[in-house]
Amino acid sequence: MKKSIRNLAVVAGGASAAFALTVSPATAVPSTVWTVTPNPASITAVNSGNIVLSVNGIAMTCTKSNGAGTGASTTGNPATVGQITSIAFGATGAPCTSVLGPVTTVPTTPWTIVAQDYTAATGVTKGYVGNVDAKVTVGACVFRVTGKASATYTNSTGALAVNSVAGELTVVSSTGCGAAVPVGAKPTFKGTYLFKAGTAIPKIVGSNP
C-alpha cells in the first residue's frame, strides 16, 4: 500500500513538472519594444487626399486637415507610441462639406497613436488611433463621436492611413439631427496623414527581446 502511494506521488510530481514546463513559456512572452526615431519626436501632419467621416451613408468630407503631436519609444503591446495633441479639419476657403451643408469639427485631444504589430519586411506598423473624441456640427445638427479608428503607419513614406471599421466609433450624443445621426450610430473615419519630424520622416520599429 505504501509503495502504491509512493508511486502515485512520483507520477503526480512528474505530471506537475510537465505542466509547469508547458505553462511557463506562455506566461513569459516578452513585451514588444517599440523604437521611435527621432526619440522623442515632435511631429507635424498634413492630409494626403480627402478625410472622410461617414455616418449612416452621409459623407462629411474635408479636403484640408492638419495636426501636430509627439512620438516616443516605449515597451508593451498594445503600446502608445505617440499622441496627437492638436488636429484641425477644414481651412479658410476650404471648409469640410456634406449634403447637409458645411461641417465644423471640434476635437478634444490628445488622441493616441497605438502600435500593435510590426512587419519588418515592409516597415509597416498596424494599430489604431485611440481616444478619439470630437464634436461635429452640420447646420442645426450637433453630435459627438468617440472611440478609436484602425490605422497603419508606413516608415518609408511617413503615412498614417486611418481606415476605421463600423463599430470602432460611436455617436454618443446628438441634438437636432433626427434620424440622420442618431445616438448609437457607428460612423467610419478614413483618410491619410503624412508625418514629419522637422524635415525627417519619423520611424516606428517593433522588436521582441
Side-chain angles (χ1 to χ4, degrees), residues 37-56:
T37 52
N39 177 52
S42 179
I43 296 168
T44 58
V46 63
N47 68 299
S48 174
N50 291 341
I51 305 298
V52 181
L53 176 71
S54 295
V55 188
N56 285 346

Side-chain angles (χ1 to χ4, degrees), residues 91-207:
T92 302
C96 302
T97 59
S98 74
V99 294
L100 301 178
V103 181
T104 302
T105 301
V106 179
T108 297
T109 55
W111 296 359
T112 55
I113 300 172
V114 179
Q116 292 178 293
D117 181 67
Y118 176 72
T119 303
T122 58
V124 173
T125 296
K126 292 182 180 180
Y128 60 88
V129 177
N131 202 37
V132 175
D133 190 339
K135 183 178 76 171
V136 182
T137 302
V138 189
C141 171
V142 180
F143 63 95
R144 181 183 172 205
V145 176
T146 64
K148 67 177 185 178
S150 293
T152 60
Y153 182 78
T154 303
N155 285 333
S156 61
T157 61
L160 179 74
V162 183
N163 188 14
S164 73
V165 297
E168 293 183 329
L169 295 169
T170 304
V171 174
V172 295
S173 65
S174 178
T175 304
C177 303
V181 187
V183 171
K186 305 296 183 182
T188 58
F189 178 40
K190 301 180 187 298
T192 299
Y193 289 88
L194 300 180
F195 280 23
K196 282 289 185 70
T199 58
I201 294 175
K203 291 180 171 52
I204 302 171
V205 175
S207 61

Side-chain angles (χ1 to χ4, degrees), residues 20-30:
L21 289 172
T22 302
V23 172
S24 294
T27 59
V29 175

